[in-house]
Amino acid sequence: MESSKVIHAFYNDDEVLMDAVKAVKAEHLHIEEVFCPFPVHGLDKAMGLAPTRLAITAFFYGITGLAFAIWMTNYMMIQDWPQDIGGKPNFSWWTNMPAFVPIMFELTVFFAAHLMVITFYMRSRIWPFKEAENPDPRTTDDHFLMEIPVNNNEAKITALLAKTGAVEINVVDKH
Amino acid sequence: MYQFSGKLKTFSLALIIVGLVGIAYGFYSAPKTVEEAKEIIAQQASHGDSHATSHEVAKTDEHKDESHSAKEGHHEVVKDAHATADTHGEHHDDAHAEHVLHQLKNKPWSALYVSLFFFLGITLLVLTFYAIQRVAQAGWSIVLFRVMEAITANLVPTSIVMVLVVISAVMHWNHMFPWMGEGIFDPTSPNYDPIIDGKSWWINVPGWAIRSIIYLAIWNAYRWFIRRNSIKEDTVDDNNKTYKLSYNVSVGYIFLFMITETLMSWDWIMGLDPHWFSTLFAWYVLASLLVSALTVIAFVTIYLRSKGALPAVNDSHIHDLAKYMFGFSVFWTYLWFAQFMLIWYADIPEETTYFAMRFNEYNLPFLAMVVMNFVFPILLLLNSDFKSIPWFVVIGGIVILAGHYIDIFVMVMPATVGAQWSFGIPEISSLLFFLGVFIYATFNAFAKANPIPVKNPFLGESEHYHYYNIEHRGEGSGDHH
């Protein structure tokens, strides 16, 4: 893309936005980004975004946590120093397994939850002191913004967006 | 309107007849005298099967019980108990044979009772789940209302069989409940049991029988009322007055259900082991029956949908049912483990014997059911896509149902037949009999009413119900918002 121009179309209703996204997709135009003040159900489907794989990562993080808990309890309580604590059997990990289940469960949840959240932050590139990326402050309050890159078809896109009920259409230079 | 097909009707009647024949055979082949029991013991010993060795465990357990019951009193009594146990030693073979005879006599009764409780409980929990859906004003499940109502029709025949079992217990035709034995409450009798006697304010025959009848009466009364009122809702035009009445009655039912379910699980299941008690037992029974009930709703729904009788049911409804199956499988495991682990951890003898018995004599079913009721569903139904694929839900459901049958089996059998358990003709026949009754009652009832509650205020919402995640699986997404 040699051009660095984008069109910002503003909407003030999520239903109108959904129809506009569908109209733009029907013209086979690329939507760079949509900014919303709140989640709009079905927007990802309308835009054709791939489903998230975050749940799959969480599953593997959970298994990691479970494995860690099994290793830890086995190493500490059975291998390293198998003391007789209140008559609990410590001949093998299995004979004392029920006592380890609470920690196994908690570590599974701990790993799954925290590593998934960190994954989400990394994939979404969110961190403290990160510079906010919203192109217009109104998109955090009551406006929806669709951003479409321009490739020498500015007039055509503008005409299409005007028909979809946009309340404001700006052509801006992307820095 | 759905037509109860002749083929299915014949099939269910065949199941009932085959089941009845098998149940009759079970009663016929049970030994009647000590001599017959001795023969069976000798046979087992000569076969050298694993039961022969397990008898020793059973015997020592028995002694433990004896001395244990005395421990509550004085040490002298303990000595006495040992002394009597010693004098018993001479007649030990006879005493043992008599013990085994009682267990073998209990076998056909227990086989019937396990299946009866399994099907009665599932039907009851379908009824309760239905009441919860009404009270919660759930928007997704309205198109499944008639399916649930149809399943609850099975409550009537299973309740009748339960009444018969209650009567037979009161008449001493069976000895499943040890506290009903002769002389248990009589201090002059050799069978006197001071521990059970201490509980006689609750576990006594008239009280038990009356309570049993009251539970069944409450559940059946609600079912009869709600079914009638639900069908009435279809036609009346009274500004939802009938609907609101159903709501109010359901609230009352859920309240009564929680009480009767708790007492029922004490009376009908925990009473089989009168020396043992557990505080979360009623919840545990509830969880086991609830997850089975949801599985059965999913099965009947999937079957009826495949026959075209439920056009309004989409994959999202199946997905929700599967989600409930998954969630309550985990809930069951939580309660199972909470009960097991607390007893294992503290290891108080009077509580631990319960699990020691199950671990020693029922090792395979006891551990297999944890895999079937927890590991299998959690791996199979974790994935959101899988939950909306009917054949996946069916596979998961079959394992869940089998697992919870085993669960009930392991609750009942150790107390009634001990080491003499097996899974043979009496057990399978009882399952077939109640399955036949279930199929007949359910589909017969489903054919008698509109398959959809047409005037339910939430019907529109239920018909358009969609879970966002399975939209891309090709099902109509047009009516999305």
Side-chain angles (χ1 to χ4, degrees):
Chain A
M1 269 190 285
E2 92 289 357
S3 161
S4 60
K5 270 185 175 177
V6 292
I7 290 186
H8 282 171
F10 288 80
Y11 298 87
N12 55 12
D13 187 278
D14 53 335
E15 294 287 327
V16 179
L17 171 77
M18 283 289 285
D19 291 338
V21 166
K22 281 172 191 160
V24 172
K25 286 307 271 188
E27 291 292 319
H28 300 292
L29 287 166
H30 174 68
I31 299 173
E32 184 66 31
E33 196 68 84
V34 176
F35 295 88
C36 302
F38 54 78
V40 176
H41 281 288
L43 185 60
D44 51 338
K45 299 263 158 59
M47 288 174 70
L49 300 182
T52 175
R53 289 167 297 187
L54 210 52
I56 299 168
T57 67
F59 179 74
F60 288 106
Y61 295 148
I63 290 190
T64 310
L66 181 65
F68 175 71
I70 292 172
W71 170 80
M72 186 178 74
T73 49
N74 183 55
Y75 176 72
M76 290 178 177
M77 304 304 288
I78 310 296
Q79 305 297 332
D80 190 38
W81 196 357
Q83 278 194 105
D84 182 342
I85 303 168
K88 283 279 157 289
N90 53 17
F91 312 111
S92 75
W93 186 79
W94 278 108
T95 52
N96 208 359
M97 197 272 277
F100 302 145
V101 166
I103 197 74
M104 282 154 65
F105 170 78
E106 294 295 349
L107 278 175
T108 306
V109 174
F110 180 87
F111 272 61
H114 288 82
L115 292 179
M116 177 172 71
V117 167
I118 293 168
T119 308
F120 169 72
Y121 287 158
M122 286 164 70
R123 291 290 291 154
S124 316
R125 289 182 292 155
I126 303 174
W127 56 84
F129 313 115
K130 177 189 162 93
E131 208 179 314
E133 283 175 358
N134 57 318
D136 191 298
R138 283 175 294 166
T139 60
T140 64
D141 181 20
D142 61 348
H143 277 69
F144 303 84
L145 188 155
M146 188 183 345
E147 182 178 297
I148 300 172
V150 181
N151 294 304
N152 302 323
N153 50 0
E154 197 182 311
K156 187 192 156 205
I157 300 172
T158 314
L160 174 67
L161 291 174
K163 268 197 288 179
T164 58
V167 291
E168 191 180 318
I169 301 171
N170 301 330
V171 182
V172 291
D173 281 317
K174 212 152 194 203
H175 37 79
Chain B
M1 282 295 247
Y2 169 76
Q3 190 85 39
F4 188 13
S5 72
K7 234 161 124 188
L8 196 62
K9 197 178 278 182
T10 317
F11 177 64
S12 64
L13 291 173
L15 283 178
I16 293 172
I17 291 165
V18 170
L20 275 177
V21 170
I23 291 169
Y25 169 79
F27 279 101
Y28 171 76
S29 62
K32 272 138 209 94
T33 62
V34 178
E35 275 62 44
E36 281 177 55
K38 273 186 185 163
E39 228 167 80
I40 290 170
I41 297 167
Q43 232 172 18
Q44 281 173 351
S46 68
H47 280 304
D49 73 17
S50 59
H51 282 310
T53 47
S54 58
H55 278 310
E56 298 308 317
V57 184
K59 262 193 271 181
T60 49
D61 269 0
E62 214 184 316
H63 284 300
K64 230 188 278 165
D65 272 355
E66 272 174 43
S67 54
H68 163 69
S69 60
K71 219 183 289 170
E72 301 277 309
H74 307 283
H75 283 291
E76 290 152 56
V77 186
V78 176
K79 274 182 212 151
D80 278 355
H82 279 304
T84 49
D86 282 346
T87 52
H88 268 309
E90 299 155 28
H91 315 289
H92 212 276
D93 280 348
D94 279 353
H96 175 52
E98 208 181 307
H99 179 62
V100 171
L101 171 67
H102 284 312
Q103 293 184 331
L104 290 173
K105 269 183 169 172
N106 270 337
K107 257 194 90 175
W109 283 104
S110 307
L112 183 78
Y113 193 65
V114 170
S115 290
L116 169 63
F117 187 78
F118 185 57
F119 277 90
L120 172 62
I122 287 174
T123 311
L124 175 65
L125 262 294
V126 170
L127 182 67
T128 305
F129 185 73
Y130 170 78
I132 292 169
Q133 296 302 301
R134 276 192 177 274
V135 170
Q137 302 188 2
W140 67 281
S141 54
I142 311 302
V143 294
L144 304 174
F145 267 19
R146 287 290 142 83
V147 176
M148 297 187 223
E149 280 170 23
I151 295 170
T152 63
N154 189 42
L155 193 64
V156 179
T158 45
S159 296
I160 292 169
V161 180
M162 189 67 208
V163 169
L164 295 178
V165 169
V166 168
I167 291 172
S168 61
V170 171
M171 303 298 286
H172 294 288
W173 295 337
N174 67 55
H175 299 93
M176 284 191 297
F177 295 89
W179 57 269
M180 287 184 188
E182 220 168 293
I184 296 283
F185 301 129
D186 176 8
T188 61
S189 161
N191 289 334
Y192 179 64
D193 188 324
I195 292 182
I196 300 180
D197 194 23
K199 300 178 180 184
S200 61
W201 61 275
W202 180 263
I203 41 175
N204 53 72
V205 172
W208 180 83
I210 291 166
R211 285 195 302 272
S212 299
I213 304 295
I214 290 174
Y215 309 149
L216 293 170
I218 289 173
W219 304 334
N220 278 285
Y222 173 71
R223 191 211 89 84
W224 175 80
F225 171 83
I226 204 72
R227 169 72 168 171
R228 201 194 53 156
N229 226 40
S230 175
I231 290 170
K232 205 171 133 198
E233 279 173 25
D234 282 0
T235 49
V236 290
D237 189 14
D238 59 356
N239 205 12
N240 282 334
K241 248 192 190 144
T242 315
Y243 174 81
K244 284 174 189 161
L245 179 64
S246 299
Y247 175 93
N248 290 333
V249 173
S250 300
V251 172
Y253 166 74
I254 290 174
F255 175 75
L256 287 176
F257 167 81
M258 285 316 299
I259 296 170
T260 50
E261 195 276 338
T262 306
L263 302 182
M264 167 274 272
S265 59
W266 298 349
D267 276 338
W268 292 352
I269 302 291
M270 207 153 75
L272 296 164
D273 290 280
H275 282 186
W276 182 78
F277 49 86
S278 164
T279 40
L280 60 68
F281 191 74
W283 281 102
Y284 171 59
V285 173
L286 177 84
S288 192
L289 297 176
L290 179 53
V291 64
S292 311
L294 286 157
T295 309
V296 167
I297 296 172
F299 275 15
V300 177
T301 306
I302 288 169
Y303 172 79
L304 286 171
R305 189 172 78 142
S306 75
K307 294 282 165 205
L310 288 170
V313 173
N314 60 40
D315 283 351
S316 293
H317 296 107
I318 306 292
H319 184 278
D320 259 30
L321 285 171
K323 205 151 52 174
Y324 269 116
M325 285 160 61
F326 173 82
F328 282 112
S329 286
V330 177
F331 181 65
W332 173 88
T333 315
Y334 166 65
L335 291 175
W336 174 83
F337 185 72
Q339 178 169 277
F340 170 76
M341 197 266 247
L342 285 180
I343 290 174
W344 172 86
Y345 209 103
D347 201 18
I348 302 169
E350 68 197 70
E351 290 180 351
T352 303
T353 46
Y354 183 84
F355 283 112
M357 173 67 172
R358 277 150 183 83
F359 238 99
N360 292 330
E361 302 291 349
Y362 293 74
N363 196 287
L364 180 66
F366 185 74
L367 295 177
M369 87 182 173
V370 183
V371 176
M372 293 166 80
N373 294 342
F374 175 61
V375 181
F376 192 79
I378 210 173
L379 292 177
L380 198 73
L381 295 176
L382 190 62
N383 187 314
S384 195
D385 288 339
F386 291 174
K387 282 199 275 273
S388 57
I389 302 171
W391 63 268
F392 243 95
V393 177
V394 169
I395 290 176
I398 287 172
V399 175
I400 289 175
L401 282 181
H404 285 283
Y405 172 81
I406 295 174
D407 189 15
I408 310 288
F409 190 87
V410 174
M411 281 185 213
V412 172
M413 288 293 182
T416 55
V417 303
Q420 299 299 325
W421 71 278
S422 60
F423 188 74
I425 289 173
E427 287 80 9
I428 295 169
S429 306
S430 301
L431 262 183
L432 295 182
F433 172 73
F434 285 107
L435 181 65
V437 171
F438 173 85
I439 292 173
Y440 189 88
T442 300
F443 293 100
N444 188 43
F446 190 75
K448 283 193 176 145
N450 198 328
I452 282 170
V454 282
K455 276 204 181 162
N456 190 298
F458 291 100
L459 180 64
E461 185 179 338
S462 181
E463 281 175 334
H464 294 105
Y465 175 65
H466 238 105
Y467 183 64
Y468 77 98
N469 212 25
I470 59 176
E471 208 163 26
H472 61 266
R473 290 209 322 108
E475 229 192 37
S477 55
D479 52 5
H480 163 71
H481 42 204

